[in-house]
Amino acid sequence: MKRGQILGILALLLVCAVTVIPAMAANVTVTTTHDVATDYYNYGELALETGNYTGAVAYYDQALGSNTTMMNLAGALLYVYQDKSYAQIKMGNYTGALATLNAGLVVYPNDENLLNNKGYAQYNLGNYADAVTSYDQALTSDANFTTALINKGDALEKLGNYHDAVTAYKAALASDPGNTAATTKLAGAEKAAASALPYTLIVLAVVVVVIAAGVAYYVTRKTPAGGKAQEEPDKKAGKKKK
């Protein structure tokens, strides 16, 4: 379900919540409720659109601290976690974003956007292997998630795994042939992979030479005549016999 549809449903729920159904009898009293959590979420969205990330995070926190039952029914609660983490990432608060994403993934464990954002936060914290894991989980939910594929390639390059990075960028181009970021990054990864190959061969050759030299040393080393090693003489001389 798209975000617009979800927000439409949420709006209908709000209308139902604040509209008093005409009573069938004069002595019937009807009370109305208001979804405060949705109000805070909408304030957060306005702040996010204007680049007020600190204010947006504060409003999202207030939304999460309120009764989120109605938002959860409409599916809008997911966007609170997504947008709060996005605002924290824009602020450079990757640790806070990771905490928000982990909380969101408890409720929505398979959401590819939460998983992708988690990988991005981990990447910026220097946890490249963990980031690859998060991107793989996102791709399990959506194998053609171009952004996650590109991000995975970036993390793999940081790990020095250029060949798998090339595979990730190629998959991103397969899902989005016109993606300029994937095209540029693919060229860079292919160049890095090509330059890494001779270096690997040189290191391998050095290792082989060292091993061969060691083997040759032990093979050519001669033992004393008779095939036995010479014994060290006694430190104390024996007494002469009369």
Side-chain angles (χ1 to χ4, degrees):
M1 186 179 293
K2 295 182 178 179
R3 180 179 297 203
Q5 294 174 319
I6 292 175
L7 293 178
I9 294 172
L10 187 59
L12 289 175
L13 288 173
L14 285 172
V15 170
C16 293
V18 300
T19 302
V20 178
I21 301 174
M24 297 300 293
N27 61 347
V28 175
T29 302
V30 180
T31 59
T32 61
T33 59
H34 188 66
D35 186 20
V36 177
T38 300
D39 285 342
Y40 284 131
Y41 168 69
N42 289 333
Y43 296 148
E45 291 295 282
L46 290 173
L48 188 67
E49 289 177 4
T50 59
N52 181 9
Y53 303 121
T54 302
V57 170
Y59 282 128
Y60 293 137
D61 281 337
Q62 288 177 299
L64 291 171
S66 305
N67 186 340
T68 59
T69 301
M70 189 174 292
M71 292 186 69
N72 194 22
L73 288 173
L77 180 60
L78 169 63
Y79 299 118
V80 179
Y81 291 112
Q82 285 185 4
D83 295 346
K84 179 186 173 183
S85 68
Y86 175 79
Q88 289 172 309
I89 287 172
K90 295 294 288 185
M91 293 167 61
N93 183 7
Y94 302 112
T95 301
L98 193 57
T100 298
L101 291 160
N102 284 331
L105 286 167
V106 171
V107 187
Y108 306 98
N110 300 316
D111 182 73
E112 63 272 18
N113 290 302
L114 291 177
L115 289 165
N116 176 69
N117 286 1
K118 180 178 179 179
Y120 189 80
Q122 290 168 324
Y123 175 91
N124 282 279
L125 289 170
N127 302 325
Y128 305 121
D130 291 338
V132 170
T133 299
S134 295
Y135 294 137
D136 280 338
Q137 291 173 335
L139 292 166
T140 298
S141 296
D142 183 2
N144 295 316
F145 192 177
T146 305
T147 301
L149 287 166
I150 294 174
N151 289 341
K152 178 182 176 181
D154 293 346
L156 287 167
E157 282 203 80
K158 286 291 187 179
L159 292 169
N161 190 348
Y162 301 111
H163 295 287
D164 285 348
V166 167
T167 301
Y169 294 138
K170 284 183 176 179
L173 281 174
S175 65
D176 183 12
N179 193 293
T180 55
T183 302
T184 302
K185 290 173 182 287
L186 174 59
E190 287 178 331
K191 183 177 180 180
S195 62
L197 181 60
Y199 175 77
T200 303
L201 291 176
I202 291 172
V203 171
L204 181 60
V206 171
V207 171
V208 170
V209 169
V210 171
I211 293 174
V215 172
Y217 171 76
Y218 284 106
V219 169
T220 58
R221 185 181 180 186
K222 294 182 178 180
T223 58
K228 295 182 179 179
Q230 293 179 345
E231 295 180 0
E232 188 175 310
D234 293 336
K235 293 182 180 179
K236 293 183 180 180
K239 292 182 179 180
K240 293 183 179 179
K241 293 183 179 181
K242 293 183 179 179

